[in-house]
């Protein structure tokens, strides 16, 4: 960072298991002085024990989920008996993480067409993305960070190493707890001005620089979105708001948390004004 500051990230071992998404990052100056950092420093307390699934079953479930819901389009080919069969993505093999389903086509039968007139094939209106299969070269049982009922927890998970041919290897996380012990995902209600539970603070911490005119903020995000942070300034406070933009709207995404660090420019130096999270109204701690 800034040409001279080094960032050291550490993933702790908890209960003898490796962790993912529970890292601590430290900013180290050229003289070895620690100038900043963020992450999970408190030792987590042990929770309940649950039965888990093996790596093969977890990978099979991951492959199945990555198929999506299939081609989605408007209308279609009205025909009582199709004389062609829709083509789809091949069955995922062990050790591979498939991408979205392959777009399919279906032919319209010739019954009822005018003599001598060719009827063109009917093409489904679908996402034209080419399916991608990535080999899985490793699997390690560990603990992954997940948000559960507004609280960040470490849950048993399989950490798969995906190794694409044209890019660096990366980790894909699959919760290892048996399905019958998992609650269904809760729908997120729209913001309301009425009574109810306030949203959790999104921004974890901030650091002021350039005489208080720049704020470097840290928060948790996903791997399938880009993020921007805006500042709403008043003489009494500075409210920071996260704006999330999905990179591929409507496509499935691996539920994997990553730490995001962004810099915001202020119109006036921060001074003694508190920094708050605009979503929750809570004060953001300084690093």
């Amino acid at each position: 960072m800034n040409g001279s500051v080094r960032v050291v990230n550490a993933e702790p071992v908890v209960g003898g298991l490796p962790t993912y998404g529970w890292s601590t990052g430290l900013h180290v100056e050229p003289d070895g002085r620690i100038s900043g950092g963020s992450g999970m420093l408190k030792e987590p307390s042990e929770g309940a024990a649950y039965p888990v699934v093996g790596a093969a079953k977890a990978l099979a479930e991951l492959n199945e989920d990555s198929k999506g819901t299939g081609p989605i389009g408007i209308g279609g080919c009205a025909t009582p008996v199709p004389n062609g069969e829709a083509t789809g993505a091949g069955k995922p093999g062990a050790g591979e993480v498939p991408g979205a389903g392959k777009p399919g086509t279906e032919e319209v039968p010739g019954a009822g067409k005018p003599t001598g007139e060719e009827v063109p094939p009917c093409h489904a209106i679908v996402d034209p993305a080419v399916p991608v299969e990535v080999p899985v070269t490793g699997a390690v049982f560990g603990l992954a960070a997940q948000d559960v009922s507004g609280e960040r927890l470490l849950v048993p998970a399989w950490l798969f190493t995906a190794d694409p041919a044209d890019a660096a290897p990366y980790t894909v996380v699959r919760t290892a707890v048996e399905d019958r012990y998992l609650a269904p995902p809760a729908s997120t209600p729209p913001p309301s001005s009425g009574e109810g539970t306030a949203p959790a603070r999104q921004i974890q911490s901030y650091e002021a620089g350039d005489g208080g005119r720049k704020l470097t903020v840290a928060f948790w995000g996903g791997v399938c979105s880009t993020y921007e942070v805006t500042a709403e300034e008043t003489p009494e406070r500075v409210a920071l708001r996260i704006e999330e933009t999905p990179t591929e709207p409507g496509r499935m995404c691996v539920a994997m948390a990553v730490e995001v660090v962004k810099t915001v420019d202020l119109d006036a130096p921060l001074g003694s004004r508190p920094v708050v999270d605009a979503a929750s109204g809570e004060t953001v701690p300084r690093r």
Side-chain angles (χ1 to χ4, degrees), residues 136-236:
V136 169
T137 58
V140 177
F141 187 75
L143 301 170
Q146 295 284 349
D147 290 321
V148 181
S149 301
E151 184 180 8
R152 197 158 190 82
L153 304 178
L154 283 171
V155 300
W158 283 102
L159 313 177
F160 294 108
T161 301
D163 193 1
D166 57 350
Y170 58 92
T171 300
V172 179
V173 178
R174 179 71 182 188
T175 300
V177 178
E178 289 187 5
D179 288 343
R180 67 179 184 271
Y181 293 97
L182 297 176
S187 58
T188 303
S192 172
S193 58
E195 295 182 359
T197 303
R201 189 182 77 240
Q202 295 178 325
I203 298 177
Q204 301 299 310
S205 62
Y206 79 93
E207 182 178 13
D210 191 22
R213 289 186 175 274
K214 291 183 181 294
L215 300 182
T216 302
V217 300
F219 56 93
W220 291 99
V223 296
C224 298
S225 296
T226 58
Y227 298 89
E228 293 295 333
V229 178
T230 57
E232 303 167 2
E233 298 183 56
T234 68
E236 293 77 26

Side-chain angles (χ1 to χ4, degrees), residues 4 14 38 79 91 227:
S4 60
V14 176
S38 63
T79 170
K91 184 178 181 181
Y227 298 89

Side-chain angles (χ1 to χ4, degrees), residues 120-136:
C122 172
H123 296 275
I125 305 173
V126 298
D127 187 344
V130 178
V132 177
E133 294 186 352
V134 180
V136 169

